[in-house]
């Protein structure tokens, strides 16, 4: 294609935007889940949803790696390929795929039965237990 670098520049910008979105969205979801459930419940929920999240990440990671391949093509076409380009491409790949996997894990945990149980447990802890005793402990 004659002007393929224009398309590659657009796809490179999309890769950077996706990476920024993944970073900030993962950060917000981690804070929300940390406020919602205890660390023990979160650990169990993460271990139970790891296999499903890993398999669900594959198509999104393939698309992200395609965007990075076009970023490589842009660097080759503009002759900016070198040690810095290799490092940048590897860093973007590792961080991007890792954040994709983390985001999938957090989405699956947020929609798992563990999140519903944590919400029930949280409301149960906040509600005072009614007994037939007064403040001094007498019936």
């Amino acid at each position: 294609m004659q002007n393929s670098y224009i398309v590659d520049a657009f796809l490179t910008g999309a890769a950077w935007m996706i990476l920024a979105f993944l970073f900030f969205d993962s950060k917000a979801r981690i804070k929300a889940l940390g406020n919602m459930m205890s660390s023990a419940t979160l650990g169990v929920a993460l271990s139970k949803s790891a296999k499903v999240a890993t398999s669900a990440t594959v198509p999104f990671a393939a698309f992200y790696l395609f965007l990075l391949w076009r970023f490589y093509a842009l660097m080759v076409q503009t002759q900016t390929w070198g040690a810095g380009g290799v490092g940048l491409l590897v860093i973007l790949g590792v961080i991007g795929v890792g954040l994709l996997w983390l985001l999938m894990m957090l989405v699956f945990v947020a929609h798992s039965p563990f999140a519903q149980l944590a919400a029930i447990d949280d409301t149960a802890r906040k509600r005072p237990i009614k007994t037939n005793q007064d403040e001094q402990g007498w019936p």
Side-chain angles (χ1 to χ4, degrees):
M1 188 189 305
Q2 185 71 19
N3 295 326
S4 64
Y5 66 91
I6 296 171
V7 175
D8 290 341
F10 174 75
L11 292 176
T12 300
W16 281 100
M17 295 297 284
I18 288 172
L19 187 65
F21 168 77
L22 288 172
F23 176 77
F24 290 112
D25 192 41
S26 296
K27 185 177 173 182
R29 287 183 189 269
I30 288 171
K31 285 184 181 180
L33 282 176
N35 293 336
M36 188 186 329
M37 60 179 68
S38 67
S39 59
T41 308
L42 183 61
V44 173
L46 286 173
S47 66
K48 293 292 183 183
S49 63
K51 189 175 184 180
V52 177
T54 303
S55 61
T57 303
V58 171
F60 298 108
F63 176 71
Y64 184 73
L65 291 175
F66 167 75
L67 293 177
L68 291 182
W69 174 58
R70 297 317 307 163
F71 181 45
Y72 162 75
L74 181 67
M75 285 193 293
V76 168
Q77 202 159 27
T78 59
Q79 298 176 355
T80 57
W81 182 248
V86 171
L88 182 63
L89 201 59
V90 168
I91 289 170
L92 285 176
V94 170
I95 290 175
V97 172
L99 284 174
L100 272 168
W101 180 76
L102 177 64
L103 184 66
M104 283 294 177
M105 288 283 288
L106 296 173
V107 166
F108 280 112
V109 166
H111 296 292
S112 70
F114 291 102
Q116 296 168 354
L117 290 174
I120 292 170
D121 184 42
D122 188 43
T123 56
R125 288 182 192 201
K126 290 179 181 175
R127 186 178 308 151
I129 299 173
K130 294 184 179 180
T131 63
N132 292 334
Q133 300 175 351
D134 59 6
E135 292 93 24
Q136 298 172 349
W138 296 98

